[in-house]
Amino acid sequence: MIKHLTLSLLLSIFLWSCGTKSTEQTNNTTTNTQSDTLGNTATKKEEDDNQAPATKYDTPDEKTTQVINVVKSYFANLTNGNYEAAAQDNFAPSVDQWITMKNTHPKAIATEAKRFLSTKTDVKYTPNLAGIVLKDNKARVVVRQEWKGYDTTLEVWLEFDNSVKIKSYKEGKIFKMKIVKPSALEAYLSKIKKFEYPVNVNSQQYSTFKAMDKSGLNLLIKDAIEGENFQNIGYFEISSDLVGILYIRGYRSSQSIVLNTFNRKSGKAVAIEVVGFMGGGHMMAGYNQACDITIQANGKISNTWHSTTSGQEMGEQGASFYQITPNGQIVKSS
């Protein structure tokens, strides 16, 4: 009996000892595993942190940096009203084009920028420098242009000379335009002529159009198009939600026929396009004598024109075509 108890006791002590040792080994193994895991995670995080800047934020080359600095300087100076600095510091001595001005120079650009912007308040230009696209000597940048009563985001196409100075500046696609209250749109439409299809506008009518009032100027984002005087033509319904508004933009000795499309429910301007042209200017060799526009119910726009050329009584004649899409966009077609 005593011998049996002694053997049982020894067996229990042995099993308890083995169990304790096994638990310690298991705990040590778990601790070591956790230490290794945490250590590896920390090391991996450090490696990721060290590598992330090089992977996500590559340092731009010298030319890209120069282009970004020129773009930044130009728009910052416009925002601050430093028109001479904006032009002189960033443009080449001879500029192929700046918006609508061709074969110009920094001094003329500064003068025109001052004339156009100095009468406006809260002017602010915000270029998306992080999204600038540069290839060879050309760049594309999206810019938000703001001043009181105006807010538009559009793309700008730039071309640089070998000294990384701007020699061409063109405004492109408009991404976001000013939104007005639908009630303001309807109030304006009630004041102007409504056309039925086919819409016909001919050059003999141009002298009969009345000057646009303040409500029209604000609604049709006059500041988005450089001009000296604006005249109402009329409007037509594209669909139950969309409307097209035709008006004349006068600039020096020329008249552009502009088409704006609006969503009547939201008041949002959908598209804007110059669909006709009359007259000429000191930078043009010819003079458009006639411009007749027809708009069909299917959205097809035709513009027939006749122009003289310098020193000749007879000039050229031809036609241009556009299409209003179902969503209100205006595209050039053949």
Side-chain angles (χ1 to χ4, degrees):
M1 180 68 177
I2 295 173
K3 183 177 180 181
H4 178 71
L5 290 174
T6 302
L7 289 174
S8 297
L9 180 61
L10 289 173
L11 181 60
S12 299
I13 293 171
F14 174 78
L15 291 175
W16 175 81
S17 175
C18 290
T20 302
K21 185 174 182 180
S22 175
T23 302
E24 290 176 353
Q25 289 176 343
T26 301
N27 290 339
N28 289 338
T29 302
T30 303
T31 303
N32 291 337
T33 302
Q34 290 175 342
S35 298
D36 289 344
T37 302
L38 292 172
N40 290 338
T41 302
T43 301
K44 188 175 186 303
K45 186 178 186 304
E46 289 173 0
E47 290 173 354
D48 288 346
D49 288 344
N50 290 334
Q51 292 176 2
T55 302
K56 298 180 180 179
Y57 307 102
D58 293 333
T59 302
D61 58 30
E62 183 179 355
K63 184 176 181 180
T64 302
T65 300
Q66 288 177 310
V67 167
I68 291 174
N69 288 339
V70 167
V71 172
K72 184 177 180 180
S73 170
Y74 172 65
F75 289 114
N77 279 310
L78 286 185
T79 298
N80 296 325
N82 300 325
Y83 309 114
E84 289 188 6
Q88 297 290 348
D89 294 351
N90 303 296
F91 281 81
S94 178
V95 180
D96 297 338
Q97 183 170 345
W98 179 74
I99 310 180
T100 58
M101 295 172 60
K102 295 183 178 180
N103 301 319
T104 187
H105 49 83
K107 185 175 181 180
I109 291 172
T111 300
E112 185 61 19
K114 182 178 181 179
R115 184 197 70 79
F116 184 70
L117 291 172
S118 60
T119 58
K120 297 169 176 51
T121 57
D122 302 325
V123 174
K124 185 179 180 182
Y125 285 80
T126 309
N128 180 9
L129 298 175
I132 193 168
V133 177
L134 176 64
K135 184 176 181 181
D136 299 327
N137 63 333
K138 297 180 180 179
R140 173 188 176 274
V141 60
V142 175
V143 183
R144 183 179 182 184
Q145 301 179 354
E146 301 171 84
W147 46 82
K148 188 175 181 180
Y150 176 73
D151 186 349
T152 295
T153 300
L154 73 165
E155 65 181 1
V156 171
W157 293 92
L158 303 159
E159 187 173 349
F160 298 85
D161 64 10
N162 293 333
S163 300
V164 196
K165 297 294 183 180
I166 303 170
K167 68 174 185 178
S168 178
Y169 178 104
K170 300 177 183 179
E171 293 183 343
K173 181 179 178 181
I174 295 175
F175 297 106
K176 182 180 178 182
M177 303 177 72
K178 178 183 175 182
I179 296 176
V180 299
K181 293 181 178 180
S183 58
L185 174 62
E186 295 303 323
Y188 172 69
L189 294 179
S190 68
K191 299 178 183 178
I192 63 176
K193 180 178 180 179
K194 180 181 179 181
F195 287 100
E196 302 297 336
Y197 290 108
V199 178
N200 290 304
V201 180
N202 61 68
S203 52
Q204 286 73 34
Q205 298 172 311
Y206 294 163
S207 61
T208 66
F209 296 133
K210 295 181 180 180
M212 191 177 294
D213 63 15
K214 187 175 180 180
S215 64
L217 295 177
N218 290 334
L219 177 73
L220 297 171
I221 27 181
K222 167 194 169 186
D223 292 332
I225 305 178
E226 187 179 20
E228 296 169 349
N229 58 77
F230 291 78
Q231 294 172 274
N232 293 316
I233 296 178
Y235 79 97
F236 56 95
E237 294 179 344
I238 301 170
S239 67
S240 59
D241 293 343
L242 297 171
V243 63
I245 301 175
L246 283 165
Y247 57 98
I248 291 179
R249 162 246 185 182
Y251 183 70
R252 296 178 180 173
S253 60
S254 67
Q255 296 83 41
S256 297
I257 295 83
V258 184
L259 172 61
N260 257 95
T261 55
F262 277 84
N263 185 303
R264 298 184 81 160
K265 289 185 176 180
S266 67
K268 182 179 180 180
V270 180
I272 182 172
E273 183 69 46
V274 175
V275 295
F277 181 82
M278 274 285 293
H282 68 283
M283 292 183 292
M284 297 183 62
Y287 191 98
N288 268 25
Q289 289 185 313
C291 176
D292 300 333
I293 295 171
T294 300
I295 304 175
Q296 305 289 347
N298 62 2
K300 184 81 172 181
I301 303 172
S302 62
N303 163 26
T304 57
W305 51 269
H306 174 215
S307 68
T308 62
T309 55
S310 298
Q312 298 181 14
E313 292 184 3
M314 296 298 294
E316 296 181 329
Q317 57 185 353
S320 301
F321 301 96
Y322 301 85
Q323 178 70 47
I324 304 173
T325 67
N327 64 358
Q329 296 296 327
I330 308 166
V331 296
K332 197 161 188 178
S333 61
S334 56

